[in-house]
Amino acid sequence: MNLKTRLHILKRKYRGSKFAPAFNALHTFLYLPNETTHNGTHIKAADDLKRTMNTVIMAMVPCLIFGMFNAGYQHNLAVGDIQAVTSGFFSSEFWTLANFMIGFWKIIPLVIVSYGVGLGIEFLFAIIKKHEVEEGYLVTGMLVPLIVPIDIPLWMLAVAVIFGVVIGKEVFGGTGMNILNPALTIRAFLFFAYPTWMSGDKVWVEGAVARDNAIAAGQNLDAISGETVLGALAQGKEVVYSTWDMFYGFIPGSVGETSTILILLGGLFLIFSKIGSWRIMLSSALGAIAMGLIFNQIAEAGIISEGSKFFALMNTPFWEHLIIGGFAFGTVFMATDPVTASQTNKGKWYYGFLIGFISILIRVFNPAYPEGVMLAILLMNVFAPTIDHYVIQGNVKQRMKRLKAKTA
Amino acid sequence: MSNDIRIKKGLDIKLKGEAEKTIETAILSNFYTLRPDDFHGVTPKLISKVGAKVKAGQPVFFDKSNENVKFVSPVSGEIIEIARGEKRKILSIKLQADKEQTYQDYGKFNLDAAKPNEVKAHLLASGCWPFVKQRPYDVIANPDKSPKAIFISGYASAPLAADLDFTLIGKEAELQAAVTALGKLTQGKVHVSVGASSNSPLVGLSGITLHNVSGPHPSGNVGTLINKVDPVNKGEVVWTVAAQDLVIIGELLLTGKFNSERIVALAGSSVEKPRYFVTKIGAEIATMIYDKGISKNAHDRIISGNVLSGKQIKPNGNLGYYNNVITIIPEGDDYELFGWNKPVFNKVSTSRALTFSWLNPNKKYDLNTNTNGEHRAFVVTGGYEEVFPLDIYPLQILKACMYQDLDEMESLGMYEVAPEDFALTEFVCVSKQPHQDIIRKGLDVMLKEIG
């Protein structure tokens, strides 16, 4: 008896039982189900939610792998074991096994905890509420490790995942019903509950915090640190990274957000496969550019003096905003989440533009934490239905006008 | 306003098993069945009982809500069985056909001199009224309300649909009579659509406004024609008649006899030799599907109607009242290893997520009935708009039907749609939701509450 037949018999055995959703989730992971159409169309297209989610995960894998290399690179660079990259994207200083192993051993546990805890909660809710386990967490589970600092304690991640999945998704009714992006809900929880762990110049380099604790305990070590570009700008310090460094991603930051080039490739793949909305991605970039330009004009016109704490950020060239911080990652992978974004095509333009616009606004004016993308996206998640409402009202009014013209 | 209509949004699903353009007379069926469920929203009240002998065209039952709307027998014979279900609901009326057919004579109708009321009464009494459907609500037309226009689609764009240019050959006289009669029932126009480069018998008719349509399916849907030409507003009614039903109406007007003969296509990848048959409404499909069709034990799905909106029937079932195609495709009730993340070459897809149907748009597919995924909540957006050419927001109107907000359904355009307009959005739906069923239930709620 082959695997397929054995699983089929098991499925029949578990049907209707309490653990049926759990079994079905694992079964459908291996096999496309044998359900046939009943009423309605007799044939269906090949796309289903699992395939859609899988495409997004594939788009993120390059960022994950790059993040592993980058974690090791930033650590070794800070400690002084290696030199900075000098020869473009394929520099030999970056792509070393030593770098990779540091990142691998730190990041794989993050991925395991994220998926393990998140899917565990999903299975639990599916069993309690007697519905199937839905695929929403497949993407969220991959997003979460990519947007946290490298040294985040695993228990902290687990707590945040539980919060995000329960409050951000399940209480609203599960996949397809949530208002806020679940990955960003998890990140926002970390941001508000453990703020010291999410900002500063220690958390972005592997081992920096541990080192500080060791030094405080009396060990004779040099402290290491790695300021993000935005962190430096917020304090008016000089930025030591070149534009190419920022574009390729050889800078400190959250695990997966640094490499703009790989995010761009991922974004193009999502647009090509028709899974990610190009309208949201493009309009977000345009919104950011618009706000960046406004700030540049303000800085040039001298409205803000050079000594002001906002000056460095305002003076940042508008295009540079696209390659620093989490902007690129947020635009391509978070803003495009179809459930929480605007659902009408026209609405997506407004939604994306406002995300870009508000991101840069918050980035510049937020004194405590120079990153605005997460907060901008969460804010626009709340307003996305409003945008849709007005777009649809346009259609409704058109219909009423047609009726009036007829009865007039 | 140009009379030509070009649709850009939509999807042509190319399937194997298109019917060859040869016509064969089907083996004469012994039994014919009328299914009241084919007439949505009608509660039948029987006129004749089991054992009664009826002529072809003689009324068998009428609609409880309007006793003028009569439903007639497709053949002359004896009513041998009336199957009932729960609460004594009539499921089917089975007739054993006579060897020699006799027809009820309604008399040749003088079309030129007739007044609108007379035309209407004649159609109602002779059993032709069920062919006239209406929007809103997509039910049999209410004869007491006058429509602002009448729409007929002479272009079949659905996958494996019967080619109307072929099945209507030689029927110009009947088509003209039907169209003239319908023209008298409305103050407005009779709009007829044909394919862009077609020599359909409908083209030469007088008294109609002809539209050439081009573009992918659903360009052939009458709903698309209505939306592009003269959309239904609140309070208005339009009537629709299928092109093949015009032939029956026309023949009744010209000869006085209700001839339920149709040219029906037998199509689908499971059929050995797909071709056309001459048969009658309600005939047993067993007379057509086994002769160079499918084998007796085949594990196939037999559909009365097309593959998007038809109804599943058993091998011992009957041709539906309105259907002019029988589609047979393989059942897809088997598992597929890693079906969700491996590249797919043998299925149709509107995305390019490791699916390759976009590379070869003219390829013909052998699709089966597997759902290709499980039922989920609505997640993906923007996909339905690509295959939905009406100026209505499909996702929002589906959701409004699901939570039954009547005002919202009305303002989003529920008066204009029928379930078949959502067949393509249901086909491409990533969440495998039953769109046509949702719309049907939404229309029923509106019919009950608003009327």
Short mmCIF file of all heavy atoms in Angstrom, two decimals, chain B residues 266-290:
data_model
loop_
_atom_site.label_atom_id
_atom_site.label_comp_id
_atom_site.label_asym_id
_atom_site.label_seq_id
_atom_site.Cartn_x
_atom_site.Cartn_y
_atom_site.Cartn_z
N LEU B 266 -22.69 17.22 -28.31
CA LEU B 266 -22.10 16.33 -27.32
C LEU B 266 -20.61 16.59 -27.36
O LEU B 266 -19.96 16.36 -28.37
CB LEU B 266 -22.39 14.87 -27.67
CG LEU B 266 -21.75 13.83 -26.74
CD1 LEU B 266 -22.36 13.91 -25.36
CD2 LEU B 266 -21.91 12.43 -27.30
N ALA B 267 -20.05 17.13 -26.28
CA ALA B 267 -18.66 17.58 -26.32
C ALA B 267 -17.93 17.18 -25.05
O ALA B 267 -18.53 16.68 -24.11
CB ALA B 267 -18.62 19.11 -26.48
N GLY B 268 -16.63 17.37 -25.05
CA GLY B 268 -15.86 17.09 -23.85
C GLY B 268 -14.73 16.12 -24.15
O GLY B 268 -14.82 15.31 -25.07
N SER B 269 -13.67 16.17 -23.34
CA SER B 269 -12.49 15.37 -23.64
C SER B 269 -12.73 13.88 -23.44
O SER B 269 -12.00 13.06 -23.96
CB SER B 269 -11.33 15.82 -22.77
OG SER B 269 -11.67 15.68 -21.42
N SER B 270 -13.78 13.52 -22.68
CA SER B 270 -14.03 12.10 -22.48
C SER B 270 -14.80 11.46 -23.61
O SER B 270 -14.95 10.24 -23.66
CB SER B 270 -14.83 11.88 -21.19
OG SER B 270 -14.12 12.39 -20.11
N VAL B 271 -15.33 12.28 -24.52
CA VAL B 271 -16.16 11.75 -25.60
C VAL B 271 -15.27 11.34 -26.76
O VAL B 271 -14.42 12.10 -27.20
CB VAL B 271 -17.17 12.83 -26.07
CG1 VAL B 271 -17.97 12.33 -27.24
CG2 VAL B 271 -18.06 13.24 -24.92
N GLU B 272 -15.54 10.12 -27.28
CA GLU B 272 -14.67 9.64 -28.35
C GLU B 272 -14.85 10.46 -29.62
O GLU B 272 -13.90 10.88 -30.25
CB GLU B 272 -14.99 8.18 -28.61
CG GLU B 272 -14.00 7.50 -29.53
CD GLU B 272 -14.48 6.11 -29.91
OE1 GLU B 272 -15.01 5.41 -29.02
OE2 GLU B 272 -14.32 5.74 -31.08
N LYS B 273 -16.12 10.67 -30.00
CA LYS B 273 -16.36 11.41 -31.23
C LYS B 273 -17.38 12.52 -30.93
O LYS B 273 -18.59 12.32 -31.09
CB LYS B 273 -16.91 10.44 -32.28
CG LYS B 273 -16.90 10.99 -33.68
CD LYS B 273 -17.08 9.86 -34.71
CE LYS B 273 -17.21 10.40 -36.11
NZ LYS B 273 -18.52 11.04 -36.38
N PRO B 274 -16.91 13.67 -30.51
CA PRO B 274 -17.85 14.75 -30.17
C PRO B 274 -18.52 15.28 -31.43
O PRO B 274 -17.86 15.57 -32.41
CB PRO B 274 -16.95 15.84 -29.55
CG PRO B 274 -15.58 15.31 -29.53
CD PRO B 274 -15.50 14.09 -30.35
N ARG B 275 -19.86 15.36 -31.38
CA ARG B 275 -20.58 15.84 -32.55
C ARG B 275 -21.94 16.35 -32.12
O ARG B 275 -22.24 16.41 -30.95
CB ARG B 275 -20.73 14.71 -33.56
CG ARG B 275 -21.44 13.48 -33.01
CD ARG B 275 -20.89 12.21 -33.68
NE ARG B 275 -21.72 11.05 -33.43
CZ ARG B 275 -21.62 10.29 -32.35
NH1 ARG B 275 -20.77 10.60 -31.39
NH2 ARG B 275 -22.40 9.24 -32.20
N TYR B 276 -22.78 16.71 -33.11
CA TYR B 276 -24.09 17.29 -32.81
C TYR B 276 -25.16 16.23 -33.04
O TYR B 276 -25.05 15.38 -33.91
CB TYR B 276 -24.36 18.49 -33.71
CG TYR B 276 -23.51 19.70 -33.37
CD1 TYR B 276 -22.21 19.81 -33.85
CD2 TYR B 276 -24.01 20.71 -32.56
CE1 TYR B 276 -21.44 20.91 -33.55
CE2 TYR B 276 -23.24 21.81 -32.25
CZ TYR B 276 -21.96 21.91 -32.75
OH TYR B 276 -21.18 22.99 -32.44
N PHE B 277 -26.24 16.33 -32.27
CA PHE B 277 -27.37 15.41 -32.40
C PHE B 277 -28.64 16.22 -32.55
O PHE B 277 -28.76 17.31 -32.00
CB PHE B 277 -27.52 14.57 -31.13
CG PHE B 277 -26.50 13.49 -31.00
CD1 PHE B 277 -25.34 13.71 -30.27
CD2 PHE B 277 -26.70 12.24 -31.56
CE1 PHE B 277 -24.40 12.72 -30.14
CE2 PHE B 277 -25.77 11.24 -31.42
CZ PHE B 277 -24.62 11.48 -30.71
N VAL B 278 -29.61 15.63 -33.26
CA VAL B 278 -30.95 16.19 -33.23
C VAL B 278 -31.71 15.40 -32.18
O VAL B 278 -31.82 14.18 -32.27
CB VAL B 278 -31.66 16.05 -34.59
CG1 VAL B 278 -33.07 16.58 -34.49
CG2 VAL B 278 -30.89 16.80 -35.66
N THR B 279 -32.22 16.09 -31.17
CA THR B 279 -32.96 15.39 -30.13
C THR B 279 -34.02 16.35 -29.59
O THR B 279 -34.21 17.42 -30.14
CB THR B 279 -32.00 14.92 -29.02
OG1 THR B 279 -32.73 14.19 -28.04
CG2 THR B 279 -31.33 16.10 -28.37
N LYS B 280 -34.73 15.90 -28.56
CA LYS B 280 -35.79 16.77 -28.04
C LYS B 280 -35.50 17.15 -26.60
O LYS B 280 -34.75 16.47 -25.90
CB LYS B 280 -37.13 16.04 -28.10
CG LYS B 280 -37.60 15.81 -29.51
CD LYS B 280 -39.03 15.31 -29.55
CE LYS B 280 -39.44 15.14 -30.99
NZ LYS B 280 -40.84 14.81 -31.12
N ILE B 281 -36.15 18.21 -26.17
CA ILE B 281 -36.02 18.65 -24.77
C ILE B 281 -36.42 17.48 -23.86
O ILE B 281 -37.42 16.81 -24.09
CB ILE B 281 -36.97 19.83 -24.49
CG1 ILE B 281 -36.53 21.05 -25.29
CG2 ILE B 281 -37.00 20.16 -23.01
CD1 ILE B 281 -37.47 22.22 -25.14
N GLY B 282 -35.63 17.25 -22.83
CA GLY B 282 -36.01 16.23 -21.86
C GLY B 282 -35.66 14.81 -22.26
O GLY B 282 -35.99 13.87 -21.55
N ALA B 283 -34.94 14.64 -23.39
CA ALA B 283 -34.64 13.28 -23.85
C ALA B 283 -33.63 12.61 -22.92
O ALA B 283 -32.84 13.28 -22.26
CB ALA B 283 -34.07 13.33 -25.27
N GLU B 284 -33.66 11.25 -22.93
CA GLU B 284 -32.66 10.52 -22.15
C GLU B 284 -31.30 10.71 -22.79
O GLU B 284 -31.14 10.51 -23.99
CB GLU B 284 -32.97 9.02 -22.17
CG GLU B 284 -34.21 8.63 -21.45
CD GLU B 284 -34.54 7.18 -21.77
OE1 GLU B 284 -34.76 6.87 -22.95
OE2 GLU B 284 -34.57 6.37 -20.84
N ILE B 285 -30.31 11.05 -22.01
CA ILE B 285 -28.99 11.26 -22.63
C ILE B 285 -28.33 9.94 -22.99
O ILE B 285 -27.42 9.89 -23.80
CB ILE B 285 -28.05 12.07 -21.72
CG1 ILE B 285 -27.89 11.37 -20.38
CG2 ILE B 285 -28.54 13.47 -21.55
CD1 ILE B 285 -26.68 11.87 -19.64
N ALA B 286 -28.84 8.84 -22.42
CA ALA B 286 -28.27 7.54 -22.76
C ALA B 286 -28.40 7.25 -24.24
O ALA B 286 -27.67 6.42 -24.79
CB ALA B 286 -28.94 6.44 -21.93
N THR B 287 -29.32 7.96 -24.94
CA THR B 287 -29.46 7.74 -26.37
C THR B 287 -28.32 8.37 -27.16
O THR B 287 -28.19 8.14 -28.35
CB THR B 287 -30.77 8.37 -26.89
OG1 THR B 287 -30.76 9.77 -26.54
CG2 THR B 287 -31.97 7.72 -26.24
N MET B 288 -27.54 9.18 -26.52
CA MET B 288 -26.49 9.90 -27.25
C MET B 288 -25.08 9.63 -26.74
O MET B 288 -24.13 9.66 -27.51
CB MET B 288 -26.74 11.41 -27.14
CG MET B 288 -27.97 11.86 -27.87
SD MET B 288 -28.33 13.60 -27.56
CE MET B 288 -29.39 13.50 -26.13
N ILE B 289 -24.93 9.35 -25.42
CA ILE B 289 -23.57 9.37 -24.90
C ILE B 289 -22.79 8.09 -25.11
O ILE B 289 -21.58 8.07 -24.97
CB ILE B 289 -23.54 9.73 -23.40
CG1 ILE B 289 -24.34 8.71 -22.58
CG2 ILE B 289 -24.08 11.13 -23.20
CD1 ILE B 289 -24.24 8.97 -21.10
N TYR B 290 -23.48 6.96 -25.43
CA TYR B 290 -22.74 5.71 -25.51
C TYR B 290 -22.27 5.37 -26.91
O TYR B 290 -21.40 4.55 -27.11
CB TYR B 290 -23.56 4.56 -24.94
CG TYR B 290 -23.77 4.72 -23.46
CD1 TYR B 290 -25.05 4.83 -22.92
CD2 TYR B 290 -22.69 4.79 -22.59
CE1 TYR B 290 -25.24 4.98 -21.56
CE2 TYR B 290 -22.87 4.96 -21.24
CZ TYR B 290 -24.15 5.05 -20.73
OH TYR B 290 -24.32 5.21 -19.39
#
